[in-house]
Amino acid sequence: MLKILGLLGGLSLAGLLQAADYAALPAGALQQVRLDELHPTQAVVGHGQIHYKLGRLAKEPGKLFDEYCEANGQGESSRVPAGASVHRPDSFTCQGAVGSRSSEMKTVVVGPGGRLFLTDGHHTFTTLWEQPQAGAALRVWVKVTDNFSDSPDLASFWQRMQQARKVWLRDGQGRPISAQQIPAQLGLDSLADDPYRALVYFTREVAYDKPRSGDVAPEFLEFYWGSWLRERLPLADYDLNEPRGYRAALAAAAELMVAQPADAPLGASGFTARQLGGYTQVDRRELGKVATRKLGYLFQYRQAH
């Protein structure tokens, strides 16, 4: 136990004691875990994206089961009887079995002490964490991409994670941080806000989409777009606290994104706009839907909270 405590540094003793040891999990394994067993690999999320999701779930409670099924690689929900609960998977059905759509599952890396470090899914799982009908104790399925549990110490582990591009070391203002500044758990109280990350989420299917063929989309794809936009779009010029201002920022971001040459590197990321799913023109119809429906849920949630 003392050895594991030394490896995991700032993780709380309470969190450590409740975490299982997943050190034996190989790459490709599927594992069911509690949300509070997952350690983030980033210190920020786009709060606006999560507020939108929570606002929609408040108006459409059945979407919670879609979120849960999709996260488990099962497609959407197919039958949700009255009284069903995501805490009781046998109380409803999804379109497929767990992992039948494994490419859509959230991913983890096994780290020192057999701890699981989440590399994709911070927004979905934080939404579930904050949802009253789900919460931190909710059990979900994740897919292992790498096992780095043989790292001799936490510093070596984070170095391997950086080399593999599986950690995002920036704060909400885009400033560099150390791995030790990443919080130990999910949730809006732990993860700070990066407004550019939220803005990029709302441009999905408007100015870009995650690549669905060829190379696998890199982790933190939206953060690469967000960092690039941060250098070109001053959000201080827009009032993101009211719908009209947010719509204007969204439209400006989309125009900048589609104007980027497809094969030119996107800032310091080294990835091109094509590799990050960039469009060559704005999808105006989708932009209109986002501006009315998605931003509608976002501001309804914020007004209620």
Side-chain angles (χ1 to χ4, degrees):
M1 175 61 75
L2 290 177
K3 179 181 179 181
I4 295 175
L5 278 173
L7 286 172
L8 294 181
L11 297 182
S12 70
L13 178 60
L16 178 62
L17 291 177
Q18 73 179 9
D21 185 345
Y22 297 110
L25 289 178
L30 307 184
Q31 179 65 45
Q32 189 178 42
V33 298
R34 285 170 49 124
L35 290 178
D36 56 12
E37 289 184 272
L38 298 170
H39 192 290
T41 54
Q42 60 196 55
V44 296
V45 289
H47 283 200
Q49 175 179 340
I50 294 165
H51 292 166
Y52 150 67
K53 290 281 187 140
L54 292 171
R56 185 172 184 184
L57 291 177
K59 296 291 184 180
E60 303 175 40
K63 292 296 292 181
L64 174 61
F65 296 90
D66 287 341
E67 288 280 338
Y68 181 84
C69 291
E70 289 171 358
N72 289 337
Q74 298 179 269
E76 295 184 344
S77 60
S78 59
R79 191 178 72 87
V80 183
S85 168
V86 287
H87 288 280
R88 294 183 288 107
D90 60 350
S91 68
F92 62 95
T93 57
C94 304
Q95 290 176 332
V98 169
S100 58
R101 305 184 187 185
S102 63
S103 64
E104 300 174 9
M105 295 184 71
K106 309 311 177 187
T107 54
V108 296
V109 172
V110 184
R115 187 82 176 187
L116 297 183
F117 289 76
L118 185 68
T119 53
D120 179 61
H122 293 77
H123 288 78
T124 294
F125 286 162
T126 293
T127 299
L128 294 175
W129 181 292
E130 298 291 339
Q131 176 64 18
Q133 286 72 43
L138 181 68
R139 298 184 65 80
V140 296
W141 286 85
V142 293
K143 180 173 66 174
V144 177
T145 61
D146 302 90
N147 188 317
F148 295 164
S149 63
D150 60 348
S151 301
D153 52 46
L154 202 58
S156 299
F157 168 74
W158 284 120
Q159 185 175 25
R160 291 173 74 178
M161 292 288 280
Q162 285 182 263
Q163 291 171 346
R165 292 195 174 204
K166 291 183 180 292
V167 59
W168 183 255
L169 296 177
R170 298 279 173 175
D171 67 10
Q173 288 73 50
R175 299 171 300 203
I177 62 171
S178 68
Q180 289 68 39
Q181 291 174 273
I182 296 175
Q185 62 183 21
L186 299 170
L188 291 178
D189 288 340
S190 299
L191 298 168
D193 181 34
D194 182 343
Y196 284 93
R197 173 60 179 79
L199 191 67
V200 170
Y201 169 74
F202 290 115
T203 66
R204 187 170 180 178
E205 298 185 5
V206 173
Y208 84 101
D209 198 3
K210 285 190 174 183
R212 301 179 188 278
S213 60
D215 293 336
V216 176
E219 280 99 346
F220 311 110
L221 178 151
E222 293 87 352
F223 279 114
Y224 292 128
W225 277 116
S227 291
W228 180 83
L229 282 172
R230 193 184 300 275
E231 299 174 357
R232 293 160 176 79
L233 183 68
L235 291 185
D237 294 347
Y238 303 88
D239 185 355
L240 301 185
N241 294 312
E242 57 92 18
R244 182 177 299 179
Y246 208 112
R247 284 196 296 268
L250 174 60
E255 292 291 353
L256 286 169
M257 292 167 74
V258 300
Q260 172 71 359
D263 294 315
L266 202 72
S269 75
F271 292 107
T272 66
R274 188 192 308 278
Q275 290 174 311
L276 297 179
Y279 288 2
T280 56
Q281 61 183 13
V282 174
D283 187 326
R284 299 289 173 185
R285 182 177 179 183
E286 191 65 28
L287 177 61
K289 289 165 59 178
V290 170
T292 53
R293 191 172 186 197
K294 287 188 176 180
L295 294 188
Y297 285 123
L298 166 64
F299 284 99
Q300 287 171 19
Y301 177 83
R302 288 184 171 175
Q303 289 166 6
H305 297 79

